[in-house]
């Protein structure tokens, strides 16, 4: 399951740009620092490839094997 920590996100957009399935979009909500943060549009299409997590310079994305 992909988890985005909105507190750490600085709205760089790398996760959106490099997602092979293009299932991340910039959300309309801001975090406490004023940055918009991404949201997952379709978790069923996520490949769990972790590219988004590896390109995130802030470490705001985490991937674990457990579904809620």
């Amino acid at each position: 399951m992909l988890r985005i920590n909105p507190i750490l996100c600085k709205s760089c957009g790398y996760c959106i740009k490099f997602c092979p399935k293009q299932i991340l979009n910039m959300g309309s909500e801001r975090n406490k620092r004023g940055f918009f943060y991404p949201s997952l549009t379709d978790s069923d299409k996520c490949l769990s490839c972790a590219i988004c997590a590896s390109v995130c310079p802030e470490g705001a994305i985490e991937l674990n094997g457990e579904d809620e």
Side-chain angles (χ1 to χ4, degrees):
M1 171 66 66
L2 180 84
R3 296 181 193 270
I4 300 169
N5 184 337
I7 296 168
L8 297 176
C9 183
K10 285 190 176 174
S11 218
C12 70
Y14 291 155
C15 57
I16 296 167
K17 180 178 180 178
F18 291 105
C19 176
K21 297 302 264 179
Q22 295 298 293
I23 55 172
L24 289 166
N25 286 325
M26 195 56 70
S28 58
E29 294 183 40
R30 293 179 188 261
N31 63 19
K32 290 182 179 184
R33 298 185 299 168
F35 295 107
F36 291 103
Y37 56 91
S39 63
L40 185 63
T41 59
D42 190 347
S43 60
D44 291 334
K45 291 184 181 178
C46 181
L47 300 173
S48 299
C49 64
I51 292 172
C52 56
S54 45
V55 299
C56 179
E58 303 303 318
I61 301 176
E62 177 181 293
L63 200 72
N64 63 31
E66 299 174 16
D67 288 337
E68 294 180 355

